[in-house]
Amino acid sequence: MAAVREMGGSLSARTWTRGAECVATEVDGALVLLDLEGGMYFALNGPAADVWLALESPRSEKALVEALTAKYAVESDHCARSVAVLLKDLAVKGLAKPAA
Amino acid sequence: MHSAQQTMADAAPTYRVELEPPRMFSVKEELAVNRAAVGRKPLSRELRYRLAHNLFTLDQFDESIDILRALDREGDDFRIPHMLSAALMARETLEDTQGAIRAALRAVDLANSEGERSRALASLGKAQLRIEKLDAGRKSLSDALKANIHNKDAYKRLAMLDFAVGRTEAALEFANDLVGRGITHARVLGVLPLAYAKLGRIEQAREAIGLDRHMHKAVLPPPPGWDSIEAFNRDLAQELLAHPGIRYERYGVASANSWRIDEPCLARSKLMPLLQRLLQDAVGAHVSGLAAATDPWMRGRRPSGVLHHWSVITDGDGFEEWHVHQNGWLSGAYYVDVPDFIVDGEGPGGCIGFGLPEGIVGDGPHEAFGTRLYRPRSGLMMLFPSHAFHRTYAHRGDQRRICVAFDIAPHDVH
């Protein structure tokens, strides 16, 4: 839960969207993103790729967790913690941001 | 109880082998990403440059040249005409060589530093020599060395020009002058034995290479978690053969009729990182145990070096032409899979040979120097000075010989 608290507020209600403009290509089962402004490459696997793809339109953390728990055999609380950590990481890299 | 060797090793400074960070993906995969990116942002100069660079690396010269020419018309950027010159040279037509000269001249004008100016002049000299403008080529290459005395490409071509026109004594004098100034890269040290041999001084040629002193062979232990090096090699061979960056033939390298993997260790590779650590440990221990500087090559030893590797996979007709590794200080090969008919064979097929190229020194000196053959086997690591000329021989069999070649490069190269 520590990671969740770091994000502050009622995280499950926070809405997220994509950050930097990226082009995405599937490479050997991973989703490779190229940040078109910064020029950096990123590789996302499995659930991380699902989250980034879902953020094509703004989504709440709750909606993201629901989508992932429907697809993967993962316990909801664990999934929520993981999504919070992932979103924080994506935000640091400029790939996701809280929706305005 | 300490042997003499252990005592010497204890006294020598520990040599550190550093690893390059693994690539996220192969150049082929990067090309797909960059092509999609250019489709999204067709006006981005940086993305188009990256795409042209990927295409150039993958020998897709026509498309690379089209992109670079368009970029060059749109603005001034040293990188563009410099790469354009190299891509045009790769097509090997008279018209393209003349275009390469024009591009190199433009790169000289756009150079932002003496280093860039030196690189552009070296490209210019290479193109001029190709169309027999020997005086102009010599001047360009000499100017490249004035701008950066460490430019290996310029030095190599100047030395080969000297050999071609019979200025062997001059080539030897210049090489010795550079060694005296502490410039001991593999091209300089590689020219010394060539010059000695051409002058009939065969024993000095042998001494200049130092193969007797510096050749090292060892069978590596299996990595942790593996019962035997044979079992590890079997799985490593599968990883290499399934590598997304594997390609047949590549322009501008010594390999002929061969499969190559330029960057065998990707972030998702499972076994190549284990081999890297084996090589890191084995090379570090070997170099740490070498006696203090006894020759120019050893005087070029630094406290550490970077491991750079690639893989060469040969069917029956694959081989490597004579070459040195100009970016290395120490070079080597690790044999992942060597078919039994090579291990148990008697001829040169599948072997690595050390000698002097007959195309440079002539048949007489080549024969007088001789070629020393080493027979590979799976699990064997060989280490030798990067300036030692070597080649491999087609094995003519129906199985694949798989090898990981590597350089230990001084930091200033990478």
Side-chain angles (χ1 to χ4, degrees), chain A residues 21-25 27-28 32-34 36-43, chain B residues 24-25 29-30 32-34 36-38 40-41 44 47 50 54 244 268:
Chain A
E21 184 181 3
C22 292
V23 63
T25 308
V27 172
D28 198 32
V32 172
L33 306 181
L34 170 58
L36 292 173
E37 296 303 323
M40 296 285 288
Y41 297 100
F42 304 93
Chain B
M24 185 183 291
F25 35 66
E29 293 167 336
E30 190 178 326
V33 176
N34 284 332
V38 169
R40 178 84 72 84
K41 290 214 163 197
S44 166
L47 291 175
R50 285 191 189 191
N54 292 150
R268 58 183 183 271

Side-chain angles (χ1 to χ4, degrees), chain B residues 60-239:
Chain B
Q60 296 179 37
F61 300 120
D62 292 351
E63 189 180 356
S64 178
I65 287 167
D66 288 345
I67 295 169
L68 291 166
R69 278 184 167 146
L71 286 169
D72 203 28
R73 283 193 296 270
E74 293 166 16
D76 294 342
D77 179 343
F78 165 81
R79 299 176 303 169
I80 307 298
H82 185 59
M83 191 189 302
L84 177 59
S85 177
L88 288 165
M89 287 293 283
R91 291 206 297 205
E92 297 193 359
T93 70
L94 175 60
E95 184 183 355
D96 283 319
T97 304
Q98 290 164 336
I101 289 176
R102 289 192 294 276
L105 284 167
R106 182 162 158 71
V108 172
D109 285 342
L110 293 175
N112 298 302
S113 66
E114 285 298 279
E116 287 185 353
R117 183 176 148 75
S118 178
R119 289 163 54 205
L121 284 164
S123 297
L124 177 61
K126 176 184 178 183
Q128 289 166 325
L129 292 183
R130 184 177 286 180
I131 56 170
E132 304 291 323
K133 291 181 178 289
L134 302 189
D135 290 341
R138 177 179 293 282
K139 181 174 187 319
S140 298
L141 296 171
S142 298
D143 288 347
L145 286 177
K146 282 178 194 158
N148 176 14
I149 193 64
H150 301 281
N151 187 321
K152 302 180 188 76
D153 288 323
Y155 173 75
K156 170 187 71 174
R157 295 204 161 81
L158 205 50
M160 292 305 118
L161 176 59
D162 278 341
F163 286 149
V165 300
R167 287 168 43 89
T168 304
E169 292 277 9
L172 179 61
E173 185 178 343
F174 187 36
N176 276 321
D177 174 56
L178 290 175
V179 170
R181 292 154 68 181
I183 298 166
T184 58
H185 60 69
R187 287 293 178 193
V188 173
L189 297 185
V191 159
L192 286 171
L194 297 174
Y196 286 131
K198 281 175 78 71
L199 294 169
R201 295 149 66 175
I202 297 297
E203 286 312 310
Q204 275 181 285
R206 290 192 210 289
E207 177 63 23
I209 295 178
L211 204 60
D212 288 338
R213 292 190 300 280
H214 300 307
M215 169 63 74
H216 175 73
K217 296 191 295 178
V219 174
L220 297 186
W226 296 82
D227 291 336
S228 69
I229 195 69
E230 290 80 10
F232 173 68
N233 280 335
R234 276 195 294 276
D235 289 346
L236 178 59
Q238 292 306 310
E239 179 172 295

Side-chain angles (χ1 to χ4, degrees), chain B residues 15-19 302-307 408-411:
Chain B
Y15 187 78
R16 198 172 67 255
V17 176
E18 297 177 3
L19 304 180
R302 301 286 179 266
S304 64
V306 180
L307 173 68
I408 305 298
H411 273 291

Side-chain angles (χ1 to χ4, degrees), chain B residues 391-408:
Chain B
R391 59 160 296 177
T392 62
Y393 299 84
H395 59 70
R396 305 294 175 196
D398 59 1
Q399 297 174 52
R400 285 182 168 162
R401 173 187 185 275
I402 304 176
C403 155
V404 173
F406 56 91
D407 286 338
I408 305 298

